[in-house]
Amino acid sequence: MAKIAFILLCHKDPDAIIAQAGQLTAAGDCMAIHFDARASDTDYARIREALSDNPNVTFSKKRIKCGWGEWSLVQATLHALQSAVEQFPRATHFYMLSGDCMAIKTAEYVCGFLDDRDVDFIESHDFFASNWIKTGMKEDRLIYRHYFNERNQPRLFYTAYEMQKRFGLTRDIPSDLQIMIGSQWWCLRRRTVEMILEFLQQRPDVLRFFKTTWIPDETFFQTLVRHLIPKHEIENRTLTFLMFSDYGMPVSFYNDHYDMLLGQDYLFSRKISPEAHELKERLGQLYASEGVAFGISGEGRKLYHFLTSRGRVGRRYTQRFWEAGNTLGPDREIYLIVCKKWHVAKRLVDQIASETSIPCIEYIYDEQDTPLPDLGGIETTLTKRSRHRRAVAKLLFEHFDSDKLILCVDPANLDVIQDFGGDQAQTRVLEIECEYSDEYLAGHALRVGLAGQNSSAESMARLLPTLRNALAYESEQIRYSKNDGLFHLRETADRLVNEEAIAEFLNLTEVQAKSIMHLDYLFAD
């Protein structure tokens, strides 16, 4: 049965560390603690005294001062690992944690999870081929020597860096190593850790190399595990659930995230907010519990993105440079049918196509598999269509040899409506206003990944009002952006009223409009 030795790097909040150690060792696991030498000696003494009677807790034999991006973080980890290997001979796995991490599964679940998988869990991507580093220096992290800390010694850091660049003082990467990069939150088997420690004794050149690389905690273990362990014995992922904001900052979790966290396919989570006392208490009690069933929904990242990013994506108020001269022309008419329920809009355009000669295209800017004619390749992906939306529309006008064109648009794509509304072409918008039951909204949340099959009723109950408000907001924005040429088809309206709306929208006769709207199941889900 798996027995974990947690490797805890921490530097503050002694009460939280004492509680964390007590909670994680209560189920029989172990912990090796490195408390930053920059932190208070009084706090360290307090932690040692409080945990002195706990045989499942040990401390690094040496405390060092740690700094972000420095080798010191890796060295502190190695000190804690060495202590854990020596003090806990029965430990089968070594799990890297910080003071902000907490378990989101029971010890029973965690042990079963690790027993079923004889692999190391560590995120490791090719340093040069992957896109893991988004901004800042990349190769220069490795080929130059970094002796100073960028954050608290920026002048020395960049002076040394620029001098090496100026005089070409590069160095070679150890020839037998493929440098890998990934998250520093890993879980390694005992024999893997022992192989790493033995390897470092045999290869001081590797140790010297990493000691002067920049941000080595993202590359050191990631590289050595891939170097020493067969690929099929490595699962390229972290078992710690973490997210980052649009600004690259770690997302903190609060009291109302409990159900969401338990539904993620991870064993631990960071960062738990220091103010989330209720969440900490509930998660602390959870780890030692038995017989708890977990429904894995995995909707955390999409849900967070949905709740925080609305209004910052997909809304722009001016043309992109490649579209500036790409107008459709004043003699053309483009009809946008806007509806969140795609099946309703598709039924409507099928009826329009059968009763008129106006070319109809379904969700061209929303759905990859929308049936389209050959337009020379620009139609092949959603990215191309959206980037060159007017060019695509212009080609469709020419393909169908028509001055009229109907397109379906999701109301979330406000920029599409605004873009065509700003063109010389005559643009009309028909908004189909549907009723949204709780069952439909729940299904919509599943379809777009905001919820999973095992999302709790409580999580769904909190999500549905947010979804309903989001749909109302989209409709409101459409009304604000289109004062003229805006028509409405309503599920709650009388059929005669809807016939008049469709006739006016498309300039049709009363007979044509009646034929289009004769479907009894137009709004059916």
Side-chain angles (χ1 to χ4, degrees):
M1 183 176 178
K3 183 180 180 69
I4 303 172
F6 294 104
I7 307 302
L8 179 66
L9 300 192
C10 47
H11 65 281
K12 61 180 180 179
D13 202 348
D15 290 335
I17 294 168
I18 294 167
Q20 187 180 26
Q23 292 160 358
L24 293 179
T25 59
D29 292 316
C30 312
M31 179 176 287
I33 298 175
H34 179 276
F35 193 71
D36 196 334
R38 295 182 190 275
S40 166
D41 288 337
T42 302
D43 287 346
Y44 181 57
R46 182 179 171 190
I47 295 169
R48 293 206 64 141
E49 181 180 359
L51 298 174
S52 60
D53 294 333
N54 190 332
N56 289 337
V57 175
T58 190
F59 293 84
S60 293
K61 294 179 180 178
K62 184 177 181 181
R63 289 173 64 200
I64 62 173
K65 296 179 179 179
C66 298
W68 185 90
E70 294 180 6
W71 167 254
S72 55
L73 288 175
V74 178
Q75 186 63 72
T77 306
L78 289 172
H79 285 324
L81 268 177
Q82 190 68 58
S83 295
V85 168
E86 294 173 2
Q87 293 297 317
F88 308 123
R90 295 179 58 195
T92 62
H93 293 77
F94 296 81
Y95 197 119
M96 181 74 174
L97 287 178
S98 75
D100 297 320
C101 298
M102 291 200 72
I104 55 176
K105 298 292 186 291
T106 60
E108 180 181 62
Y109 181 98
V110 170
C111 289
F113 183 95
L114 295 177
D115 284 337
D116 292 341
R117 300 162 177 83
D118 186 20
V119 296
D120 295 306
F121 294 90
I122 184 166
E123 187 180 41
S124 53
H125 309 279
D126 187 277
F127 185 92
F128 298 100
S130 70
N131 193 34
W132 205 84
I133 299 175
K134 303 297 183 184
T135 60
M137 65 174 64
K138 189 171 183 178
E139 183 184 22
D140 291 0
R141 291 190 187 189
L142 308 175
I143 64 173
Y144 296 112
R145 297 166 179 82
H146 302 278
Y147 299 101
F148 306 101
N149 188 293
E150 182 193 26
R151 292 194 171 182
N152 55 33
Q153 298 172 300
R155 181 174 295 180
L156 290 172
F157 179 90
Y158 284 106
T159 297
Y161 171 52
E162 294 297 335
M163 290 294 288
Q164 291 179 79
K165 289 176 66 176
R166 180 177 178 181
F167 293 104
L169 301 177
T170 59
R171 60 175 175 174
D172 293 329
I173 297 169
S175 59
D176 59 329
L177 294 185
Q178 178 187 9
I179 304 299
M180 310 298 290
I181 190 168
S183 170
Q184 64 269 51
W185 311 110
W186 39 254
C187 178
L188 304 178
R189 297 167 296 176
R190 184 181 192 91
R191 69 182 184 91
T192 301
V193 170
E194 291 174 341
M195 288 174 69
I196 290 173
L197 296 176
E198 182 180 355
F199 176 81
L200 294 176
Q201 290 180 346
Q202 298 172 353
R203 293 290 301 274
D205 61 312
V206 172
L207 205 58
R208 285 196 303 270
F209 172 77
F210 278 105
K211 281 185 176 181
T212 52
T213 60
W214 181 233
I215 319 182
D217 55 317
E218 293 180 350
T219 57
F220 180 77
F221 289 100
Q222 296 79 356
T223 298
L224 295 191
V225 172
R226 279 295 186 102
H227 181 71
L228 298 169
I229 304 300
K231 186 176 181 180
H232 68 272
E233 294 185 24
I234 302 172
E235 190 159 331
N236 189 2
R237 60 165 294 192
T238 174
L239 295 179
T240 299
F241 179 63
L242 65 161
M243 296 191 298
F244 292 90
S245 70
D246 292 348
Y247 306 101
M249 300 299 292
V251 171
S252 292
F253 298 108
Y254 296 90
N255 293 334
D256 57 350
H257 289 129
Y258 180 81
D259 292 326
M260 185 270 284
L261 290 176
L262 266 58
Q264 306 314 304
D265 187 20
Y266 295 86
L267 306 183
F268 282 74
S269 179
R270 74 178 305 266
K271 303 174 63 169
I272 306 300
S273 170
E275 288 78 33
H277 301 296
E278 179 186 341
L279 177 61
K280 286 187 172 185
E281 182 178 352
R282 296 179 73 184
L283 292 178
Q285 295 172 354
L286 174 72
Y287 192 67
S289 302
E290 296 181 353
V292 179
F294 295 92
I296 305 300
S297 59
E299 80 281 14
R301 287 188 172 87
K302 285 191 175 181
L303 182 58
Y304 174 81
H305 178 77
F306 173 78
L307 294 175
T308 60
S309 298
R310 303 295 291 182
R312 292 205 303 270
V313 294
R315 297 193 179 114
R316 60 183 176 86
Y317 299 92
T318 185
Q319 296 178 331
R320 302 194 189 278
F321 70 90
W322 56 75
E323 298 174 325
N326 190 18
T327 62
L328 302 177
D331 297 328
R332 285 174 168 157
E333 299 176 31
I334 189 161
Y335 301 91
L336 303 179
I337 295 180
V338 183
C339 185
K340 179 60 72 175
K341 292 186 177 181
W342 291 9
H343 60 279
V344 175
K346 290 179 179 182
R347 288 174 190 156
L348 180 63
V349 297
D350 282 345
Q351 287 295 102
I352 294 173
S354 66
E355 299 296 331
T356 74
S357 60
I358 306 175
C360 300
I361 302 292
E362 295 176 356
Y363 285 86
I364 182 173
Y365 303 115
D366 303 283
E367 190 173 31
Q368 174 63 39
D369 297 329
T370 298
L372 289 170
D374 184 355
L375 301 177
I378 197 172
E379 82 287 354
T380 54
T381 67
L382 275 175
T383 301
K384 286 184 178 180
R385 296 178 214 160
S386 299
R387 183 181 299 147
H388 309 292
R389 61 173 70 94
R390 290 193 195 180
V392 173
K394 198 170 187 177
L395 289 171
L396 287 171
F397 276 116
E398 294 171 356
H399 173 83
F400 291 113
D401 192 20
S402 172
D403 288 331
K404 295 184 178 182
L405 180 66
I406 294 175
L407 301 177
C408 295
V409 180
D410 189 284
N413 269 345
L414 181 66
D415 56 333
V416 173
I417 301 170
Q418 291 173 330
D419 196 9
F420 285 117
D423 192 83
Q424 294 178 2
Q426 301 177 49
T427 304
R428 293 186 170 202
V429 177
L430 176 71
E431 183 185 10
I432 303 179
E433 298 182 10
C434 301
E435 295 296 295
Y436 302 108
S437 65
D438 286 349
E439 291 75 16
Y440 172 83
L441 291 177
H444 177 67
L446 289 172
R447 287 189 294 275
V448 300
L450 296 177
Q453 292 291 342
N454 296 311
S455 293
S456 66
E458 292 81 2
S459 296
M460 195 65 75
R462 287 196 296 269
L463 176 60
L464 294 187
T466 304
L467 268 176
R468 198 177 296 279
N469 289 336
L471 297 182
Y473 175 77
E474 290 174 354
S475 180
E476 182 181 330
Q477 290 299 101
I478 292 170
R479 289 196 297 273
Y480 285 156
S481 66
K482 190 68 178 172
N483 295 323
D484 58 338
L486 178 61
F487 304 86
H488 296 275
L489 210 64
R490 295 183 172 91
E491 182 174 356
T492 56
D494 183 79
R495 177 179 291 183
L496 180 60
V497 174
N498 283 338
E499 289 174 1
E500 292 174 353
I502 199 72
E504 188 176 2
F505 172 59
L506 294 174
N507 290 320
L508 301 177
T509 65
E510 181 179 333
V511 174
Q512 287 176 306
K514 190 178 293 292
S515 298
I516 290 172
M517 295 302 300
H518 83 279
L519 287 181
D520 292 329
Y521 58 88
L522 176 63
F523 292 98
D525 290 334

